[in-house]
Amino acid sequence: MFRKLVRFVEEENLFYRDEKILVAVSGGIDSVVLLHMLLKMEVNCAIAHCNFHLRGDESDGDFEFVKNLANSNNIPFYSKDFDTKAYADNNKLSIEMAARELRYEWFNQILELENYQYIAVGHHADDVAETVLINLVRGTGIHGLTGIKPKLGKIIRPLLPFTRKELEEFAESEGLNYREDSTNRETDFVRNKIRHQVIPVLEQINPAIRKTMSENVQRFKEVEQIYNDVIEENRLHLVFQRENQLLISIARLQELPSPSSHLFEILSPYGFHHRDVRMIAKSLGSISGKRFFSSTHQVLRDRKYLILSELEENDSSEYLLEEKSGLIEFPMEMEASFIDRTPSFKFPSNPEIACLDASKLKFPLKLRKWQQGDSFRPIGMKGNKKISDFFIDQKFSLQDKENTWLLISGDRIAWVVGHRLDDRFKITATTTKIFKLEMK
């Protein structure tokens, strides 16, 4: 196992023997084995330990264990306490994401102040399989199938070739002590659900599922490289710079076998998601004039080009919806229709479909971005709620907030588009005509 580690470090060019490595040690088996093997390689190591204070006395026990581990090996020890829950609440993050942000920000501070070249973390082959499955469930492109990188910036992962079972066998053979994290057995987190519920089922189909996933990841990495090379080669003939704008040739884009894939790679750095790109790709065969928005940029479908430009700060553009049915093309694609209220009418459960009492609406309606001070009455509530508070309740990211549009009737918000209707425009027993808006 030791020779396999040395070979992997050399093949992936993770570090040189004379470089200083900061090892993230939680006290669990992964990080303890990682530290032990690096010391066995006679690497100049130090330990960094985070106490996230999420498990009471157990967290404090981890700290004491890792501190003693550093002392027994006579190596530098860095530790920091975090109020993880408060940070997560203040920044509207999950506990997992909050802990990740806190630890890597601190790790980078140590690297800079103490002149360490890399931070080594204990991800292994099981983590790779779990990450790929998580990405598949949540939705991913080819990049999400390539797992975890052995080296990313200052982060290195020397244990990626090894399964957890191999680490357990090695720890036993070397007589290594380590701490068990009780939360690893819980299934509240997505990763733990995958680890304890999904992978065991997959092992019934393929007992070597972890090895198979690792082999698949290697193939996906090769496919990703080919994919990226083709995208970059075509980009040279697709994209042109004009002052502060990027012009994407529609004619050349349509000649390609997969316009959407090229568009996504070009536009995703500017905040456009897969859904946005699908809508833009659909517009290639339609008339010019359509606009599509991310939180920071807009794409205009002109006659010959898709024109990407930065949004002006505090963009206050408004778009009118006249009292007629049909397709609404921008700022987003929606279909509007009037329908009669019948006994068989069923309220849609899809939040991207709004059914409003037509008699309560004042046309023309307006579509605009949200503004500070906006408030509405969420359906089912008697009082008003600020849009900003609604965003907090829904755990919107900054990008989610900036991408949110409002449907305005008179001076009232009738619909937080794609999310929640206003109670004052809801369908009641006296409603006879319904105005229906469906996002496409």
Side-chain angles (χ1 to χ4, degrees), residues 35-54:
L35 176 69
H36 182 78
M37 294 184 79
L38 291 178
L39 290 174
K40 205 170 180 181
M41 287 179 68
E42 299 183 351
V43 175
N44 186 357
C45 289
I47 289 177
H49 175 76
C50 302
N51 189 339
F52 295 112
H53 289 282
L54 296 173

Side-chain angles (χ1 to χ4, degrees), residues 241-362:
Q241 184 83 38
R242 184 177 71 185
E243 297 179 352
N244 295 324
Q245 298 176 326
L246 283 184
L247 277 60
I248 306 168
S249 170
I250 292 174
R252 292 181 179 178
L253 192 60
Q254 290 177 310
E255 292 173 354
L256 297 172
S258 181
S260 294
S261 295
H262 286 79
L263 269 180
F264 179 77
E265 299 302 332
I266 294 168
L267 297 177
S268 59
Y270 302 97
F272 290 91
H273 301 295
H274 283 287
R275 187 178 186 278
D276 306 317
V277 172
R278 285 198 300 270
M279 292 172 61
I280 295 170
K282 282 175 60 178
S283 78
L284 298 179
S286 64
I287 61 173
S288 61
K290 288 188 178 182
R291 295 175 187 267
F292 307 88
F293 298 87
S294 73
S295 60
T296 57
H297 288 74
Q298 70 167 348
V299 170
L300 169 65
R301 196 278 192 220
D302 202 6
R303 289 188 304 112
K304 294 184 177 181
Y305 299 101
L306 294 173
I307 302 175
L308 174 72
S309 58
E310 191 171 0
L311 284 176
E312 294 183 8
E313 196 170 351
N314 300 321
D315 180 31
S316 58
S317 299
E318 294 183 349
Y319 301 89
L320 298 182
L321 275 64
E322 302 292 344
E323 189 175 2
K324 61 181 181 179
S325 59
L327 187 66
I328 298 161
E329 295 183 336
F330 58 89
M332 67 191 71
E333 193 170 354
M334 294 191 291
E335 187 169 358
S337 60
F338 287 92
I339 57 177
D340 293 326
R341 170 72 188 276
T342 64
S344 62
F345 172 78
K346 292 184 178 180
F347 291 91
S349 58
N350 186 346
E352 295 187 348
I353 301 175
C355 287
L356 307 162
D357 189 325
S359 67
K360 299 174 183 177
L361 297 171
K362 295 180 180 179

Side-chain angles (χ1 to χ4, degrees), residues 35 39 43-47 67 69-77:
L35 176 69
L39 290 174
V43 175
N44 186 357
C45 289
I47 289 177
K67 181 181 178 183
L69 190 62
N71 290 338
S72 63
N73 286 284
N74 194 30
I75 57 177
F77 175 64

